[in-house]
């Protein structure tokens, strides 16, 4: 990926795939979807299946993930050398799949959960399930062998530790690349870590009633220069969940659900998550074309395809519950 010609080709190929993806203005085409079968035919015109709604939802989700990882691999296979941080962006699927895997191990499920096929980027031996040593030895997940047990109460912390491990090594790899070549994706990942910290803090406090002193050690304590990527999460732990005015001066107040006249306000954590996802999507969309012959193009391409994947799966889930495409997109606050 060293020559200008290589990078021009990669940019052109990425633009071609994104141009046919459901991001930007093409999202509007999803508004008229009213049935899951319609969505399946739209996304997979040559591979749609006739199944009962519940089975179709599972099949559709698997196909969407397979479609995304295939398109990412199609772009990356044209590149003679791939930086480790790009590889880690792809392997975010593997880290997510390992969370499901350890849950299955703890629950003693007879079969391993489905997982994304990452081709040459995959490291976990899913075919060795339910043998942890066989699956994890020699991988980035080998440390799990000392942590796995039968305690469901530790599962939340273990999932957070997996995220901590992922973002720590990703952030470390980003520091090794010249800033001009990764300026924009570094900005996105910096925001992503800040937002992950905020969401971890809110979930642990709101849903699991963890104390601040127990949450702080679980945050990703990384720095972008002198700026702490966990400070905003620490700040939000001091704010009440039932007092909107207390959040107005919060640095990330734009993430917070608004106060509606005549109603009792309470923090809506899913609303915060949706706003965080939109922030990262909009940055990736802007930065994708900002420096076309740099590593930013490849990185933003991966982020945009993953956003599309999440959008299509959310739409499928909403439509299967009887909502229209327009209603789901409105709830997600996605129009373009």
């Amino acid at each position: 990926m060293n020559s200008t010609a290589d990078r021009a080709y990669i940019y052109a190929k990425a633009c071609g795939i994104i141009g046919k993806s459901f991001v930007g203005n093409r999202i509007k085409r999803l508004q008229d979807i009213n049935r899951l079968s319609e969505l399946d035919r739209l996304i997979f015109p040559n591979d749609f299946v006739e199944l009962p709604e519940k089975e179709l939802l599972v099949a559709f989700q698997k196909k969407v993930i397979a479609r995304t990882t295939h398109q990412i691999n199609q772009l990356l296979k044209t590149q003679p050398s791939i930086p480790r941080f790009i590889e880690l962006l792809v392997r975010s699927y593997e880290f997510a799949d390992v969370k499901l895997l350890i849950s299955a191990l703890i629950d003693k499920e007879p079969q391993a959960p489905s997982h994304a096929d990452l081709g040459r980027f995959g490291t976990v031996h899913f075919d060795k399930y339910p043998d942890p040593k066989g699956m994890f030895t020699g991988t980035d997940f080998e440390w799990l062998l000392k942590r796995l047990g039968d305690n469901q109460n530790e599962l939340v912390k273990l999932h957070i530790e997996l995220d901590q491990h992922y973002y720590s090594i990703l952030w470390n790899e980003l520091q090794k690349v010249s800033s001009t070549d990764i300026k924009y994706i570094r900005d996105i990942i910096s925001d992503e870590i800040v937002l992950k910290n905020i969401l971890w803090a809110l979930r642990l406090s709101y849903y699991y009633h963890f104390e601040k002193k127990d949450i702080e050690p679980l945050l990703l304590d990384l720095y972008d220069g002198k700026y702490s990527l966990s400070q905003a999460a620490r700040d939000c732990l001091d704010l009440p969940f039932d007092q909107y005015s207390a959040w107005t001066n919060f640095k990330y107040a734009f993430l917070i659900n608004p106060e509606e006249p005549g109603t009792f306000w309470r923090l809506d954590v899913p609303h915060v998550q949706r706003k965080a996802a939109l922030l990262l999507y909009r940055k990736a969309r802007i930065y994708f074309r900002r420096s076309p012959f740099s590593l930013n193009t490849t990185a933003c391409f991966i982020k945009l395809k993953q956003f599309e994947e999440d959008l299509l799966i959310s739409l499928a889930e909403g439509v299967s519950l009887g909502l229209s495409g327009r209603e789901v997109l409105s709830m997600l606050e996605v129009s373009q």
Side-chain angles (χ1 to χ4, degrees):
M1 219 178 125
N2 294 324
S3 73
T4 301
D6 286 339
R7 296 192 179 189
Y9 173 77
I10 291 163
Y11 179 65
K13 188 173 182 65
C15 285
I17 297 173
I18 292 298
K20 297 178 182 179
S21 301
F22 290 90
V23 296
N25 290 329
R26 279 177 58 84
I27 290 176
K28 293 177 181 177
R29 293 187 59 187
L30 302 173
Q31 292 179 344
D32 296 328
I33 296 295
N34 292 300
R35 295 180 57 82
L36 184 54
S37 57
E38 294 175 9
L39 181 61
D40 189 42
R41 287 173 183 268
L42 175 64
I43 307 302
F44 304 104
N46 300 317
D47 188 33
F48 63 87
V49 291
E50 298 290 349
L51 290 171
E53 198 85 350
K54 187 174 181 180
E55 293 178 31
L56 180 56
L57 178 60
V58 175
F60 180 81
Q61 290 172 331
K62 290 180 179 179
K63 287 196 298 181
V64 168
I65 294 172
R67 171 179 177 265
T68 305
T69 54
H70 173 73
Q71 290 178 330
I72 291 172
N73 273 308
Q74 284 295 104
L75 183 72
L76 294 182
K77 77 176 185 180
T78 66
Q79 304 179 18
S81 62
I82 298 175
R84 176 133 164 87
F85 86 88
I86 294 288
E87 177 187 327
L88 285 165
L89 292 179
V90 180
R91 288 187 56 223
S92 63
Y93 285 97
E94 190 171 58
F95 278 78
D97 287 337
V98 167
K99 290 181 185 178
L100 298 177
L101 196 59
I102 60 176
S103 296
L105 285 169
I106 290 174
D107 290 339
K108 293 181 170 54
E109 295 288 342
Q111 293 183 331
S114 63
H115 62 277
D117 181 5
L118 301 184
R120 58 176 168 153
F121 299 108
T123 66
V124 174
H125 303 288
F126 289 92
D127 59 314
K128 303 293 185 181
Y129 183 88
D131 174 20
K133 287 185 178 180
M135 291 187 291
F136 299 136
T137 298
T139 74
D140 284 331
F141 307 99
E142 192 164 355
W143 60 274
L144 283 170
L145 296 176
K146 297 179 180 179
R147 296 293 313 281
L148 287 173
D150 297 325
N151 191 347
Q152 276 283 1
N153 295 329
E154 291 297 310
L155 190 57
V156 173
K157 289 184 179 180
L158 203 52
H159 281 187
I160 289 177
E161 286 182 40
L162 277 165
D163 283 339
Q164 287 178 320
H165 186 65
Y166 172 74
Y167 283 105
S168 292
I169 57 177
L170 174 59
W171 190 246
N172 182 57
E173 289 300 323
L174 284 169
Q175 313 314 306
K176 299 178 181 179
V177 185
S178 62
S179 59
T180 55
D181 216 22
I182 61 157
K183 175 182 177 181
Y184 299 116
I185 190 58
R186 177 173 172 153
D187 181 53
I188 290 174
I189 299 302
S190 175
D191 277 347
E192 188 172 331
I193 293 171
V194 170
L195 296 170
K196 281 286 185 182
N197 272 327
I198 290 173
L199 286 166
W200 288 337
L202 293 180
R203 288 193 190 111
L204 290 173
S205 179
Y206 192 97
Y207 296 121
Y208 297 98
H209 309 294
F210 278 38
E211 298 290 334
K212 182 176 181 178
K213 63 180 177 60
D214 298 318
I215 294 174
E216 288 183 322
L218 299 176
L219 298 177
L220 261 171
D221 195 21
L222 298 173
Y223 286 80
D224 190 356
K226 294 183 178 180
Y227 174 61
S228 169
L229 301 182
S230 64
Q231 187 57 53
R234 299 174 196 274
D235 292 342
C236 74
L237 288 171
D238 294 322
L239 302 174
F241 292 145
D242 58 356
Q243 188 179 333
Y244 177 74
S245 59
W247 291 83
T248 55
N249 292 323
F250 178 51
K251 184 177 180 180
Y252 292 86
F254 60 88
L255 300 174
I256 308 302
N257 51 299
E259 187 176 38
E260 298 180 7
T263 61
F264 175 76
W265 183 87
R266 191 164 183 82
L267 182 72
D268 184 351
V269 178
H271 179 94
V272 175
Q273 183 172 354
R274 289 194 299 271
K275 285 291 190 181
L278 283 174
L279 172 64
L280 297 175
Y281 156 65
R282 286 166 180 155
K283 281 200 168 188
R285 192 176 169 215
I286 291 170
Y287 291 161
F288 174 68
R289 300 180 189 276
R290 186 72 58 89
S291 54
F293 304 136
S294 74
L295 291 168
N296 287 297
T297 294
T298 303
C300 289
F301 171 85
I302 294 170
K303 287 297 182 182
L304 285 173
K305 291 304 301 181
Q306 290 174 337
F307 170 84
E308 180 203 34
E309 175 190 305
D310 289 342
L311 174 64
L312 292 175
I313 289 176
S314 295
L315 180 62
E317 291 171 343
V319 170
S320 70
L321 293 173
L323 298 173
S324 68
R326 192 176 302 274
E327 288 172 324
V328 175
L329 295 180
S330 176
M331 290 172 59
L332 296 174
E333 300 184 59
V334 178
S335 58
Q336 60 177 2

